[in-house]
Amino acid sequence: MNVLYWLDPWEPSPTVVVAVLAAAVLFARGARHARVSSLRQASFWFGLVALYIALHTRLDYFFEHEFFMHRLQHLVLHHLGPFFIAWAYPGAALRAGIPFRWRRRFVAPAMRTKAVRLTLDVVFNPVVAVLLFVGLIYFWLLSPIHFKAMLDWRLYRIMNWSMVVDGLLFWWLVLDPRPAPPARLAPGRRIMMVVAAIPPQIVLGALIFFTPHELYPIYSICGRAFTWLSPIRDQQIGGLLLWIPGSMMSVFGALIALRHWMRLSTRERLREERRETPRREEASAPARAH
């Protein structure tokens, strides 16, 4: 089996192809006009490719037939892929990639509508953002909900896309390198946000790991991809993926937010010193004259 075999989607989705291709074209066009460093470009492409692999390759068969593989998929969709895309801070490049006429005629008026502004205010509220980020993980892992989502392909795709969109919104808010304003949150509040998301992930991961009975029988009913792995062991590995790597991604996010905070504090201190220098010189000038 070659690489092309694994790149062949298990269940083709035009939505994934169009969304990924549109993001790639806009970023590639915009990166030529906006100042985007090589590191930021590499971060964006890594995140986008990771999302595509987790959504639209042969691996999707394993994601649907093994619980720990499903958790690995959602680790990429909710944490890894959106994290690296947001870390690249591609907003300026994506905007520059949209033709100017489209921006002026469609994008700008749409962003000024009351409905859009209200929606953004709600989803970017720090309390709502944390509740959505953690709540979606809990919701889709409720045993009855998970059972239905893995049987209905439409619900399965809604589940995956909800993780992608929510991950992008959350990490975009946390990893914003700008001061507030224009950023929606001050750096300190971003750190508190991401730290608040860690304990619930640890609790749920530990609960899944230590549960002695099978929580998600759908994988046994539909047939497991790895027959040599027992249901309980599969469940334990899935719990560990939520417990450790998921929480570690939040720790990395907190460290990056802390780095932004220190950088912005240093910049503000330098600006204050520059403002104070002329004042000191003016105050000392009369004294020298006498």
Side-chain angles (χ1 to χ4, degrees), residues 152-172:
D152 188 337
W153 66 270
R154 292 162 296 187
L155 195 57
Y156 176 76
R157 291 185 178 179
I158 291 173
M159 173 179 65
N160 287 342
W161 274 111
S162 70
M163 301 301 280
V164 173
V165 173
D166 180 64
L168 287 171
L169 292 173
F170 181 82
W171 293 116
W172 202 292

Side-chain angles (χ1 to χ4, degrees), residues 86-113:
W87 196 8
Y89 193 63
L94 292 174
R95 283 193 299 272
I98 302 174
F100 178 73
R101 290 182 180 179
W102 293 11
R103 276 182 280 163
R104 185 176 61 180
R105 187 172 180 180
F106 302 110
V107 178
M111 295 301 294
R112 287 195 296 264
T113 60

Side-chain angles (χ1 to χ4, degrees), residues 20-285:
V20 171
L21 188 60
V25 170
L26 290 179
F27 185 79
R29 280 172 49 91
R32 295 182 298 178
H33 305 288
R35 291 190 294 179
V36 183
S37 66
S38 299
L39 182 61
R40 286 173 56 196
Q41 292 189 44
S43 179
F44 177 85
W45 290 118
F46 177 83
L48 192 65
V49 169
L51 290 182
Y52 182 84
I53 291 173
L55 286 170
H56 207 245
T57 61
R58 181 69 58 172
L59 289 173
D60 198 35
Y61 168 79
F62 298 93
F63 298 149
E64 294 181 12
H65 292 82
E66 207 70 44
F67 177 70
F68 88 90
M69 290 294 292
H70 166 76
R71 290 316 311 155
L72 184 61
Q73 179 192 34
H74 277 206
L75 182 66
V76 174
L77 297 181
H78 202 218
H79 290 70
L80 192 69
F83 182 95
F84 276 92
I85 290 176
W87 196 8
Y89 193 63
L94 292 174
R95 283 193 299 272
I98 302 174
F100 178 73
R101 290 182 180 179
W102 293 11
R103 276 182 280 163
R104 185 176 61 180
R105 187 172 180 180
F106 302 110
V107 178
M111 295 301 294
R112 287 195 296 264
T113 60
K114 186 175 180 179
V116 171
R117 288 189 285 108
L118 181 61
T119 301
L120 293 178
D121 288 341
V122 171
V123 297
F124 282 132
N125 179 282
V127 176
V128 175
V130 173
L131 289 177
L132 279 175
F133 187 77
V134 175
L136 277 176
I137 300 175
Y138 274 74
F139 176 77
W140 291 117
L141 285 178
L142 290 172
S143 187
I145 302 295
H146 193 79
F147 190 93
K148 293 179 180 178
M150 300 308 292
L151 283 179
D152 188 337
W153 66 270
R154 292 162 296 187
L155 195 57
Y156 176 76
R157 291 185 178 179
I158 291 173
M159 173 179 65
N160 287 342
W161 274 111
S162 70
M163 301 301 280
V164 173
V165 173
D166 180 64
L168 287 171
L169 292 173
F170 181 82
W171 293 116
W172 202 292
L173 190 60
V174 169
L175 301 180
D176 193 334
R178 303 171 300 170
R184 288 180 173 268
L185 292 180
R189 298 184 72 184
R190 297 175 213 164
I191 297 173
M192 293 174 61
M193 246 184 69
V194 74
V195 169
I198 296 175
Q201 296 180 75
I202 294 176
V203 170
L204 182 57
L207 179 64
I208 293 174
F209 179 84
F210 287 111
T211 298
H213 59 272
E214 191 176 1
L215 290 171
Y216 307 104
I218 182 64
Y219 298 97
S220 296
I221 294 172
C222 294
R224 294 181 175 273
F226 306 127
T227 55
W228 46 267
L229 193 64
S230 69
I232 295 299
R233 188 67 66 193
D234 174 34
Q235 185 170 292
Q236 289 175 335
I237 298 172
L240 283 177
L241 286 172
L242 176 59
W243 183 351
I244 300 175
S247 301
M248 287 304 298
M249 288 296 299
S250 298
V251 172
F252 291 148
L255 292 175
I256 293 174
L258 177 61
R259 180 174 175 269
H260 289 327
W261 192 4
M262 295 173 64
R263 175 180 55 82
L264 293 172
S265 298
T266 302
R267 183 183 299 176
E268 187 62 30
R269 187 168 60 250
L270 290 174
R271 288 177 180 172
E272 290 294 331
E273 291 176 357
R274 289 170 185 167
R275 294 193 195 103
E276 290 295 329
T277 300
R279 296 174 187 171
R280 291 171 186 167
E281 292 177 353
E282 291 174 2
S284 60

